Every structure is written in C-alpha cells, then in structure tokens.
C-alpha cells in the first residue's frame, strides 16, 4: 500500500497503549497519529486527525470501545473499526459486530497480526479472532433484553430493589420482574450469579 494508514489508538492503560503504538510504528505503512485514554474522546480525536482506522480497547472510562465504535460508525462511517480486548468473551464479539466493528482481536495477538488486520479492514475485509468466533457461535445470542441488561448492570453495584427502582425510574415490582426473568434465562440462583455469568459471557 503506497499511502500511510493513519491510526487512532484508544486504550486507557498507558503502558499498553504506548507499547501498541511503538509496535505499529515499526510498520512502514502505518502511523499512529492520535492516542486517547477515554472512550468519550475517540470521536473528537478521529475527526481532528482524519484517521483511517481506529483501534479501540473495550474497557475504557467515559465510554466502552463498543460504544465508541457505534458513535464512530454513525458519525464517521469511512473510519474502519478494530476492537481489541483482553477478555475473550464471545458476547463482546456479537456486540462489537452490531456496533459496526470491522475487526475483533485479542490484545495478546502478535503485532504482525494486528498490523495485517489494519491493512485488511481498509480493503473491506472483516477480521475476527477464530477462537472467539467459534465460542460466540457455541454460546448463541444474548438472551437478555436491553432492560434486563440495564437492571443487571445497576444491580452489580449492590443496590437494593428500592434503590434500583428509584435510579431507573421503575416500580420495585418491575425491577423484581426483570431480575427474576434474567435469573431464569441465565439458569442461576440469584442476582449476583446472574451478574457474574452475564459478565463472563460479555452480555452486559
């Protein structure tokens, strides 16, 4: 490829971000032109630097990589999106694809594989870690509705039903119903187990 690919790197851990930037900087056709540590800084940085590809970590303050990808996909559809994750959770893969991501890779993939993914997405290819793809197919779709996920996320903070109802503007009965349904769908005994299982699968 004759022209330089301009890359935005979004990762909240500075050591990881700098290491990834250094590794990509070794590639003759790739230049990391912007680095951010928060998901809510991604869109502005991508606009300011006219990037071709955004590499987005999933777990970031401000907004997740998946939320940032969805915003970029809407506002700057020409920017290619590569999601990076430490956690090989199949539910994350499905969410990433729904947000418009072009690639989904685990962070411990070889640097050459990441650089190749950057090049491939620019040609219109989709790049997915094969192990995660197989796990996502085996796990199936997220059984939780948006409301059930919202209530479970809030419940993860340890709030009582009354506190959940107040913060989500729902009745206590409705909160109990959402929690009960989520517990049944996930085949667990209580809300704590429901939160754990949903997180492990990347469904929250």
């Amino acid at each position: 490829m004759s022209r330089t690919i301009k890359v935005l790197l979004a990762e909240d851990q500075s050591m990881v971000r700098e290491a990834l930037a250094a590794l990509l900087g070794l590639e003759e056709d790739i230049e990391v032109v912007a680095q951010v540590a928060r998901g809510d800084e991604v869109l502005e940085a991508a606009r300011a630097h006219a990037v071709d590809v955004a590499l987005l970590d999933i777990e970031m303050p401000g907004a997740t990589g998946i939320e940032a990808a969805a915003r970029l996909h809407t506002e700057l559809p020409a920017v290619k999106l590569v999601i990076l994750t430490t956690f090989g959770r199949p539910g994350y893969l499905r969410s990433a694809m729904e947000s418009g991501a072009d690639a989904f890779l685990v962070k411990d993939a070889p640097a050459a594989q990441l650089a190749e993914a950057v090049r491939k997405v620019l040609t219109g290819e989709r790049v997915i870690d094969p192990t995660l793809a197989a796990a996502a197919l085996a796990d199936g779709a997220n059984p939780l509705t948006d409301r059930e996920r919202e209530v479970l996320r809030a419940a993860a903070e340890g709030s009582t039903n009354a506190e959940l109802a107040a913060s989500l503007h729902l009745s206590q009965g409705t909160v109990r119903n959402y929690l009960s349904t989520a517990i049944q769908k996930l085949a667990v005994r209580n809300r704590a187990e429901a939160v754990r299982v949903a997180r492990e699968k990347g469904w929250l």
Side-chain angles (χ1 to χ4, degrees), residues 57-167:
D57 180 35
I58 284 188
E59 302 285 347
M60 288 187 289
T64 68
I66 290 172
E67 290 166 342
R71 288 175 196 161
L72 279 175
H73 187 60
T74 301
E75 300 285 333
L76 299 172
V79 175
K80 298 298 183 179
L81 308 170
V82 178
I83 299 286
L84 296 174
T85 180
T86 306
F87 310 104
R89 295 172 180 166
Y92 280 164
L93 172 57
R94 195 174 294 271
S95 298
M97 294 301 106
E98 289 171 355
S99 74
D102 300 284
F104 191 94
L105 299 169
V106 289
K107 281 186 199 169
D108 58 5
Q113 187 178 328
L114 178 57
E116 194 55 32
V118 168
R119 297 182 187 105
K120 282 182 175 179
V121 295
L122 272 186
T123 67
E125 287 189 56
R126 182 165 271 187
V127 183
I128 299 171
D129 180 278
T131 305
L132 281 176
L137 285 171
D139 261 5
N142 183 350
L144 302 172
T145 65
D146 288 344
R147 266 304 201 185
E148 287 160 3
R149 289 167 60 202
E150 183 183 23
V151 172
L152 269 187
R153 273 196 294 266
E157 307 297 322
S159 303
T160 65
N161 283 359
E163 290 166 340
L164 289 175
S167 66

